[in-house]
Amino acid sequence: MIQIERLYKKFGKNQVLRGLDLHIDKGGIFAILGPNGSGKTTLIKAILGMVVPNKGVISVLGKPIKNKWRYRQEIEYLPQIANFPGNLKVKEIIRMIKDLRQEPSDEERLISLFSLEPFLDKKLSTLSGGTKQKVNIVLTLMFDNPLIILDEPTTGLDPLALIHLKQLIREEKEKGKTILVTSHIMRFVEEVADEIVYLLEGEIYFKGSIPDLKTKTGQSDFEHAIAAIAITTTDA
Amino acid sequence: MLKILKYSFYDLMRSRWSYVYFLFYLALGFVLLFLNQDLSKAVITLMNVIIVLVPLIGTIFGVMYYYNSKEFTELLLAQPIRRSSIFLGQYFGVAGSLTLSLVLGLGVPFALYGLFKSDAIWNFSLLLITGAFLTLIFTALAFNIAISNENKIKGFGYAVLMWLFLAVVYDGLFLMSLIVFEAYPLDSFSLIATMFNPIDLSRTLILLKLDISALLGYTGAIFKQFFGTNTGLVISLLMLLLWTVIPIWRLSYKAKRKDF
């Protein structure tokens, strides 16, 4: 699904990605974890072509993506902070994205799932953080594409919406889709993720299942296992 | 690109500023005609306003729109759209709506006054064409400055400085160099120096079309020889086109290589 070879990216003097290699197979939920500033968002943006790498090759669905844009038709991306043009209404932004992507969508189901009907005629700048995030989720998941990338999808969601989100992610997985998720909420990751990719200082430190990680660190609790990585690496 | 253009254009059409700009020109047109009672004279006064104001508005709107649509841009970047289409679409949306405000705002009063039956129609058309060019040029320059500067304050500052330089400082330097090098033949120098500033170029072009070059003395005669002919007109319009195309090309070049 995604092949990344020797990926380097530098912002000014800050070397964010240092020769990162990553292969993600088709199907399943992959959680990309790592401390703040470890390069998670940069990695995701590089896959989407929003960040241009200094060196290295990224292939999505078997084709290198350099200077390409059509492959984004196959990706649904949920950005980290829902930065929307504030003067648009919720209804208008949904219509606009549909118009731009020109593919079948089922926004009605998601709108009623997250009870967004009362907000459809409101401007995006007047919405609360959590509601914006729900709109964000609707905009991302209303299409039907093989690759889904979710950057901090849980931000600001209430417990009910969180349950719906997990349900949605599981449904998408059952359709055989590949889903990349980043999150700092370990309970959420433990519940949904099939495989963990742990980034540290711009490289892959660990890739494997949650039980593997627990054995490797000698911890029985997932949250402690992740913390154990962070502690051993700061000691070293 | 057309879709992005459509959304940017609608977005601007809904904002108050496009109307303010349109109404300003509408009012200006009516007031000038009312005070002058003469189409040709109104065209001259109008030229003085357009030559300074159009670049300023183009610059400020361009920079403001670029920074204000940052969120919109980020949303679009994750969609299956070519990068250059996103930025060129936004650019043409801004430049297009500004040009429309200018052409309609000035066109309506002049048309009502009986422009189509008068001889001033060619001068007036030339005025609108150069006005449109100046909008396209300065919006493009403003987008270039904005895309190269993450920091809004800096971007805004550079853009205003650029306008100030081309609208005011350039002329000062030009005049000073003419005085300092008085003893040398300066015909080609001044012609070339005029070409390198779109504002000067537009002004000279219109002034000489209006047949008041006698006021300019010897240099005026040289200029008349050049700009007054069809070749001069074509070359000047070509220069304005170059001034438009080069910044647009750089904008799409920069857009392809930027990180978001």
Side-chain angles (χ1 to χ4, degrees):
Chain A
M1 200 77 192
I2 303 175
Q3 269 87 39
I4 299 175
E5 270 146 42
R6 315 288 307 148
L7 192 68
Y8 287 87
K9 180 66 197 177
K10 209 171 173 180
F11 289 110
K13 281 183 186 151
N14 185 9
Q15 185 81 45
V16 181
L17 298 178
R18 305 160 197 256
L20 182 140
D21 287 295
L22 180 62
H23 290 254
I24 287 184
D25 305 321
K26 192 179 179 302
I29 302 176
F30 298 81
I32 300 175
L33 306 178
N36 303 114
S38 56
K40 299 186 292 287
T41 298
T42 307
L43 174 63
I44 285 177
K45 286 188 168 179
I47 294 173
L48 282 159
M50 292 169 80
V51 161
V52 186
N54 298 117
K55 257 197 277 178
V57 183
I58 305 174
S59 306
V60 174
L61 295 158
K63 284 182 204 131
I65 61 160
K66 204 176 175 199
N67 294 328
K68 298 278 190 301
W69 53 277
R70 281 205 179 81
Y71 75 98
R72 285 201 282 269
Q73 192 87 48
E74 314 294 326
I75 303 179
E76 296 164 22
Y77 168 59
L78 181 95
Q80 188 169 32
I81 301 158
N83 264 337
F84 294 125
N87 54 352
L88 287 179
K89 289 178 187 164
V90 175
K91 214 165 57 181
E92 289 171 326
I93 198 163
I94 293 175
R95 202 188 312 137
M96 183 177 92
I97 296 290
K98 273 169 68 179
D99 181 32
L100 288 171
R101 290 190 77 111
Q102 297 284 346
E103 44 184 303
S105 61
D106 64 339
E107 70 277 9
E108 300 296 333
R109 186 176 68 96
L110 294 172
I111 289 170
S112 62
L113 182 66
F114 287 109
S115 327
L116 283 172
E117 291 93 346
F119 301 102
L120 285 178
D121 279 314
K122 294 229 163 67
K123 288 204 168 170
L124 283 152
S125 54
T126 62
L127 301 185
S128 74
T131 314
K132 263 190 204 163
Q133 185 67 358
K134 286 180 193 169
V135 174
N136 203 1
I137 292 170
V138 173
L139 286 176
T140 312
L141 296 179
M142 66 184 182
F143 300 108
D144 185 19
N145 289 306
L147 179 58
I148 301 175
I149 299 176
L150 308 170
D151 200 352
E152 297 277 353
T154 58
T155 314
L157 292 184
D158 55 48
L160 180 64
L162 193 59
I163 291 171
H164 289 319
L165 175 69
K166 285 182 209 161
Q167 187 57 37
L168 279 173
I169 294 179
R170 278 193 208 102
E171 280 170 22
E172 298 293 337
K173 181 192 158 189
E174 274 153 26
K175 291 182 200 159
K177 297 186 181 183
T178 312
I179 303 163
L180 300 189
V181 189
T182 75
S183 180
H184 285 296
I185 316 290
M186 288 308 134
R187 290 254 319 270
F188 172 76
V189 172
E190 195 173 7
E191 263 183 73
V192 299
D194 299 320
E195 206 163 304
I196 305 290
V197 177
Y198 194 89
L199 280 188
L200 199 66
E201 291 171 357
E203 283 175 273
I204 305 282
Y205 181 80
F206 172 83
K207 182 171 182 287
S209 65
I210 295 177
D212 288 348
L213 180 73
K214 286 180 182 165
T215 1
K216 189 180 173 184
T217 52
Q219 298 280 342
S220 56
D221 180 73
F222 176 59
E223 198 156 15
H224 283 97
I226 291 290
I229 298 182
I231 292 166
T232 42
T233 47
T234 38
D235 287 350
Chain B
M1 186 178 94
L2 286 175
K3 268 187 190 149
I4 312 290
L5 197 159
K6 186 181 86 188
Y7 283 111
S8 291
F9 190 79
Y10 279 161
D11 185 31
L12 278 159
M13 279 294 133
R14 291 202 315 193
S15 84
R16 217 176 311 132
W17 289 108
S18 299
Y19 292 108
V20 172
Y21 191 54
F22 167 70
L23 290 175
F24 170 78
Y25 278 121
L26 201 67
L28 184 74
F30 277 120
V31 167
L32 282 180
L33 285 172
F34 178 71
L35 290 177
N36 275 317
Q37 294 295 335
D38 176 4
L39 273 174
S40 290
K41 277 186 190 154
V43 168
I44 297 176
T45 320
L46 209 53
M47 179 205 77
N48 283 316
V49 179
I50 284 190
I51 247 59
V52 179
L53 200 67
V54 164
L56 179 66
I57 301 287
T59 308
I60 290 182
F61 259 68
V63 174
M64 258 178 17
Y65 189 82
Y66 180 90
Y67 286 126
N68 276 344
S69 57
K70 206 171 175 324
E71 286 95 18
F72 182 47
T73 311
E74 278 174 15
L75 188 70
L76 294 176
L77 281 165
Q79 305 300 330
I81 306 168
R82 201 192 302 266
R83 265 198 187 195
S84 49
S85 306
I86 298 177
F87 289 93
L88 292 184
Q90 292 185 353
Y91 161 72
F92 282 112
V94 179
S97 76
L98 287 179
T99 308
L100 199 71
S101 295
L102 174 78
V103 171
L104 286 184
L106 290 179
V108 169
F110 276 76
L112 287 180
Y113 198 80
L115 174 76
F116 296 112
K117 287 180 214 129
S118 107
D119 310 332
I121 183 155
W122 291 114
N123 294 337
F124 185 71
S125 315
L126 185 68
L127 189 73
L128 288 189
I129 291 171
T130 43
F133 263 121
L134 285 176
T135 308
L136 288 169
I137 291 169
F138 279 84
T139 314
L141 291 174
F143 262 68
N144 268 289
I145 290 175
I147 203 171
S148 310
N149 287 286
E150 256 333 274
N151 185 337
K152 278 186 197 184
I153 310 284
K154 259 194 189 168
F156 220 90
Y158 287 141
V160 171
L161 277 180
M162 173 207 61
W163 170 79
L164 197 68
F165 178 79
L166 289 177
V168 184
V169 180
Y170 191 89
D171 282 353
L173 292 177
F174 185 36
L175 278 178
M176 259 166 43
S177 63
L178 290 186
I179 293 166
V180 171
F181 299 107
E182 194 169 30
Y184 302 88
L186 290 167
D187 323 352
S188 6
F189 165 75
S190 39
L191 264 182
I192 291 167
T194 310
M195 292 284 181
F196 277 104
N197 182 343
I199 296 184
D200 277 356
L201 188 59
S202 313
R203 184 180 342 200
T204 322
L205 196 61
I206 298 169
L207 273 182
L208 290 159
K209 261 283 162 232
L210 292 178
D211 259 346
I212 42 171
S213 48
L215 295 174
L216 300 171
Y218 171 68
T219 332
I222 301 257
F223 272 63
K224 177 79 188 162
Q225 240 176 36
F226 180 74
F227 287 98
T229 60
N230 279 333
T231 333
L233 184 71
V234 169
I235 291 178
S236 317
L237 287 178
L238 272 180
M239 274 310 284
L240 285 177
L241 201 64
L242 265 186
W243 265 102
T244 320
V245 171
I246 292 172
I248 294 178
W249 172 79
R250 185 181 174 271
L251 177 68
S252 98
Y253 176 86
K254 274 268 161 193
K256 277 186 201 134
R257 281 155 189 81
K258 198 173 151 71
D259 293 322
F260 290 91

